[in-house]
Amino acid sequence: MTPPPPQPPPSGPNPAADSAADPRPGPGPLVVLFGATAGALGQDLGSDETDLILLVWQVVEPRSRQVGTLHKSLVRAEAAALSPQCREASGLSADSLARAEPLDKVLQQFSQLVSGDVALLGGGPYMLCTDGQQLLRQVLHPEASRKNLALPDTFFSFYDLRREFHVQHPSTRPARDLTVATMAQDLGLETDATEDDFGVWEVKTMVAVILHLLDGPSGQLFSKPEVVKQKYETGPCSKADVVDSETVVRARGLPWQSSDQDVARFFTGLNIARGGVALCLNAQGRRNGEALIRFVDSEQRDLALQRHKHHMGVRYIEVYKATGEEFVKIAGGTSLEVARFLSREDQVILRLRGLPFSAGPADVLGFLGPECPVTGGADGLLFVRHPDGRPTGDAFALFACEELAQAALRRHKGTLGKRYIELFRSTAAEVQQVLNRYASSPLLPTLTAPLLPIPFPLAAGTGRDCVRLRGLPYTATIEDILSFLGEAAADIRPHGVHMVLNQQGRPSGDAFIQMTSAERALAAAQRCHKKAMKERYVEVVPCSTEEMSHVLMGGTLGRSGMSPPPCKLPSLLPAARVSAAPTPVAYYPGPATQLYMNYTAYYPSPPVSPTTVGYLTTPPAALASAPTSVLSQPGALVRMQGVPYTAGMKDLLSIFQAYQLAPDDYTSLMPVGDPPRTVLQAPKEWVCL
């Protein structure tokens, strides 16, 4: 039970005259506001995404110490189910809420009643005052956004009574730990224990606390209101910026087509820093459903974390802590060209993808047309290029307003020349990421897997002495698989665990295990089928070595049978040496067929892992141009096609770093197919021995 709140002074018959007769310094009228939702209360208010069901308010005139009429209004909730906590604290029922007015009607009544009370107390602009920030930031603004309601301007600035109390009484507990009851207790105020009307006791006690604070010595009270940003501001971020890790979160599960404005709307009510939304891209330069968001302070970040698993449309969004270094890595940039491009404020950015390599500014402006002019003309376009200056087919464009951007988006998949062009909304962080990715990419990409053959062949066979694991967690390791198999792990052949990755190098959820016999494979499948690994059940089915080889070489194995890989990888294992000169055979990567063998990991881990690059036999015409003295040397010959003309010897050698070249000098690199050129002129094709 709580003690009764003190009774405020009664209002006189002519408040305006009283205020003029006894003027006191202080803020304008305050509207003390209390609210509740159908779910959590207190510090967790709004964290469960439930609708508002109650508003209680009363006007206070600080200069005359007058108070207005106390009002209470129920709000109809779309989901009328009340949590046990709310039902017990409020005494409300679903039937009483069903008869209430919807939120938009209640807000209209609120504005009308407040205006009338303020006029009776002397008039002037008024300001809201709440117990904490949850009611406005976590309840009213998100719910209004979900229901497409426009809140009045008065809901975008307010006083937080806890902070005002802490200004005058800093020696008490932290502001976030204060409640209405503890503030009244610290001030020694008596409260009415007989008041059982939910919300009324809270508002009366808040009014008493405000009047007591106004009689105190501090002149800093109610001078700096809290502000809710009405619009997200875009802007660049530099890699030299220092971002506080206590202000950054990671949002996961975003729709791929969502923009920075959509993310800002999800966090409506919270103040995001300028340029604080960074959409993350995957290795292919496409959005991966994640974003890093930077807020203005740690308190806003803490409120954002309470929106974990709130919904954006029909998708729920996961919200986790992140670091400032992660944000700068995604959103930061060092290019002066990008900085100039992003220096224009309040611009809408669109990304154009699939442009012809020969397209210039005039072509892009002509494609967009005069109905959607680009800001600054050609200066409002940013073309993405490789480090050697070659175009990538991507560009970014600036538009002055949302209407012009919408007009440009209607050109999505329009034709420029013989190519169709894709247009998407973009962000400053995405511009930085795309430019950083191409600027940091080497002239010749370094292969992550060695250019060596499989160190031991997979013997073909139709006996079902293997097991296939399907549905593995993507984080599963070989150690997890051995633990999952338990005693059956003792029957695995050496180098018999094959983790299958997809063509992007990510886990596919599949693995193959070579057992010592078909009986052992069947026993392992019966023992471990649908056994759980990290909260996922894993299917374990017997299969043959031939079926396993098909999958490891890039084929598929489904219920309808086996689909062969695009090409059978020729054996690169050295043949037995004979006295006669060996027939030279060279191999080179197939440029058009994009041949990839599924990457596999072995247990126990061998010195090298198998390659991810498929090799084809070099045509006789290419071998004819190579000197016989080189081809007769022991080793393997690799032909490289598509080498940039600007690539130097060091660029080529960097690919084969840690691999032995034969002979051990630069003569192992020979130009092919262009006899007039010298080695220093870097032809487009090389043969590496």
Side-chain angles (χ1 to χ4, degrees):
M1 301 298 291
T2 55
Q7 297 300 322
S11 59
N14 192 347
D18 293 343
S19 177
D22 185 20
R24 306 184 193 182
L30 300 176
V31 181
V32 181
L33 183 64
F34 174 82
T37 67
L41 302 176
Q43 297 282 13
D44 297 328
L45 185 69
S47 62
D48 51 6
E49 212 176 4
T50 52
D51 289 344
L52 186 73
I53 62 170
L54 175 69
L55 280 180
V56 185
W57 69 90
Q58 189 173 25
V59 178
V60 179
E61 219 306 321
R63 289 165 293 190
S64 64
R65 307 300 195 263
Q66 303 284 331
V67 297
T69 305
L70 189 144
H71 302 274
K72 178 178 180 179
S73 179
L74 297 180
V75 184
R76 185 193 307 166
E78 294 182 357
L82 300 177
S83 67
Q85 180 187 9
C86 178
R87 189 182 301 108
E88 180 181 358
S90 64
L92 299 174
S93 63
D95 294 336
S96 60
L97 293 178
R99 297 189 296 268
E101 296 288 346
L103 179 59
D104 56 342
K105 298 293 185 182
V106 172
L107 293 178
Q108 292 178 6
Q109 297 174 5
F110 171 83
S111 299
Q112 295 171 359
L113 293 174
V114 168
S115 298
D117 290 346
V118 169
L120 290 176
L121 295 178
Y126 62 87
M127 189 78 69
L128 301 180
C129 182
T130 62
D131 173 32
Q133 305 196 28
Q134 281 84 355
L135 176 59
L136 288 179
R137 295 191 184 274
Q138 297 287 74
V139 178
L140 273 171
H141 281 278
E143 184 172 346
S145 177
R146 292 196 302 269
K147 298 180 178 180
N148 293 319
L149 301 178
L151 290 175
D153 292 341
T154 53
F155 286 90
F156 288 88
S157 59
F158 65 99
Y159 290 114
D160 183 354
L161 183 56
R162 300 182 185 182
R163 289 193 174 182
E164 302 300 328
F165 181 89
H166 196 264
V167 168
Q168 196 172 89
H169 301 274
S171 60
T172 59
R173 66 200 80 195
R176 66 176 59 189
D177 297 334
L178 293 171
T179 64
V180 175
T182 58
M183 287 187 287
Q185 181 181 1
D186 293 341
L187 295 177
L189 301 177
E190 296 182 357
T191 55
D192 185 5
T194 62
E195 182 61 72
D196 58 355
D197 195 356
F198 182 61
V200 174
W201 180 89
E202 285 80 0
V203 170
K204 288 183 177 180
T205 306
M206 290 169 65
V207 170
V209 170
I210 290 173
L211 294 176
H212 190 282
L213 293 177
L214 290 172
D215 292 333
S218 177
Q220 303 295 324
L221 290 175
F222 303 106
S223 60
K224 296 180 179 179
E226 305 290 328
V227 177
V228 180
K229 288 187 177 182
Q230 299 192 36
K231 183 180 178 182
Y232 167 66
E233 301 175 353
T234 61
C237 174
S238 171
K239 286 190 178 294
D241 293 347
V242 178
V243 178
D244 186 3
S245 295
E246 296 299 318
T247 62
V248 182
V249 301
R250 179 184 294 271
R252 182 179 299 163
L254 299 169
W256 67 268
Q257 71 273 23
S258 58
S259 65
D260 55 346
Q261 298 295 338
D262 298 320
V263 176
R265 184 175 182 180
F266 175 79
F267 290 104
T268 185
L270 306 180
N271 294 342
I272 300 176
R274 181 173 178 268
V277 177
L279 299 173
C280 302
L281 306 180
N282 59 19
Q284 288 73 42
R286 301 177 184 271
R287 297 172 186 172
N288 62 3
E290 295 188 5
L292 293 171
I293 301 94
R294 176 188 180 189
F295 295 91
V296 295
D297 55 42
S298 60
E299 186 173 6
Q300 305 288 310
R301 194 282 303 265
D302 293 341
L303 293 175
L305 290 173
Q306 293 185 356
R307 300 197 185 183
H308 179 60
K309 292 196 174 181
H310 283 204
H311 288 77
M312 179 184 291
V314 297
R315 298 176 63 94
Y316 73 83
I317 309 300
E318 300 174 346
V319 183
Y320 303 99
K321 291 182 180 179
T323 65
E325 291 78 7
E326 291 175 322
F327 181 84
V328 172
K329 182 179 180 180
I330 295 297
T334 57
S335 172
L336 295 178
E337 182 184 13
V338 178
R340 286 193 298 268
F341 178 77
L342 299 176
S343 61
R344 299 180 178 89
E345 298 183 1
D346 300 327
Q347 298 290 312
V348 182
I349 306 175
L350 296 186
R351 181 180 180 181
L352 293 83
R353 192 165 61 197
L355 294 170
F357 293 153
S358 59
D363 301 314
V364 175
L365 294 176
F367 167 77
L368 295 173
E371 63 274 7
C372 43
V374 176
T375 302
D379 293 336
L381 295 175
L382 178 64
F383 289 87
V384 184
R385 301 182 183 277
H386 290 285
D388 58 358
R390 292 179 295 111
T392 64
D394 279 23
F396 295 92
L398 296 176
F399 296 90
C401 61
E402 187 67 29
E403 291 74 16
L404 294 178
Q406 289 287 354
L409 287 172
R410 287 194 284 271
R411 297 286 294 154
H412 178 59
K413 292 196 174 181
T415 303
L416 177 57
K418 296 183 179 180
R419 298 180 63 89
Y420 73 87
I421 311 303
E422 298 175 300
L423 284 88
F424 306 95
R425 291 181 178 273
S426 187
T427 65
E430 184 172 355
V431 175
Q432 300 280 22
Q433 286 183 80
V434 174
L435 269 295
N436 290 344
R437 174 174 285 108
Y438 284 106
S440 60
S441 61
L443 193 59
L444 289 175
T446 302
L447 298 179
T448 57
L451 290 171
L452 292 176
I454 299 178
F456 30 80
L458 298 174
T462 58
R464 306 180 70 81
D465 57 350
C466 303
V467 293
R468 181 183 185 184
L469 279 62
R470 290 188 299 204
L472 291 170
Y474 293 145
T475 58
T477 62
I478 292 180
E479 289 73 17
D480 295 326
I481 292 178
L482 298 179
S483 177
F484 170 80
L485 293 175
E487 297 179 357
D491 300 321
I492 299 176
R493 290 184 181 179
H495 316 296
V497 178
H498 308 267
M499 297 279 289
V500 182
L501 307 187
N502 58 24
Q503 294 186 5
Q504 287 74 39
R506 298 178 179 176
S508 65
D510 278 19
F512 287 93
I513 315 294
Q514 288 181 284
M515 310 299 289
T516 55
S517 64
E519 292 75 15
R520 297 294 184 181
L522 179 61
Q526 293 175 343
R527 184 182 303 112
C528 301
H529 184 56
K530 292 193 175 182
K531 182 179 173 182
M533 178 191 294
K534 296 184 178 180
E535 300 181 355
R536 292 179 62 105
Y537 77 85
V538 179
E539 297 179 355
V540 183
V541 293
C543 68
S544 66
T545 308
E546 181 183 7
E547 293 172 335
M548 178 185 68
S549 300
H550 269 77
V551 176
L552 297 184
M553 299 291 289
T556 58
L557 178 61
R559 292 181 173 85
S560 58
M562 294 186 296
S563 298
C567 172
K568 185 177 180 180
L569 187 69
S571 174
L572 295 183
L573 295 178
R577 295 293 181 181
V578 294
S579 57
T583 302
V585 178
Y587 299 92
Y588 72 97
T593 54
Q594 293 267 335
L595 301 179
Y596 290 95
M597 185 184 73
N598 288 343
Y599 187 94
T600 59
Y602 291 82
Y603 168 80
S605 178
V608 294
S609 298
T611 176
T612 59
V613 182
Y615 288 87
L616 301 176
T617 305
T618 305
L623 286 174
S625 61
T628 307
S629 59
V630 175
L631 291 176
S632 62
Q633 300 177 27
L637 193 67
V638 176
R639 179 178 180 179
M640 304 170 63
Q641 285 188 320
V643 178
Y645 285 110
T646 54
M649 193 75 70
K650 291 185 179 180
D651 297 314
L652 298 171
L653 291 175
S654 65
I655 297 182
F656 300 96
Q657 185 177 3
Y659 303 106
Q660 184 177 2
L661 299 177
D664 194 12
D665 56 33
Y666 291 164
T667 59
S668 300
L669 302 178
M670 303 179 307
V672 175
D674 199 356
R677 293 181 179 270
T678 65
V679 173
L680 297 178
Q681 288 177 302
K684 294 190 67 176
E685 295 188 6
W686 294 80
V687 169
C688 304
L689 186 64

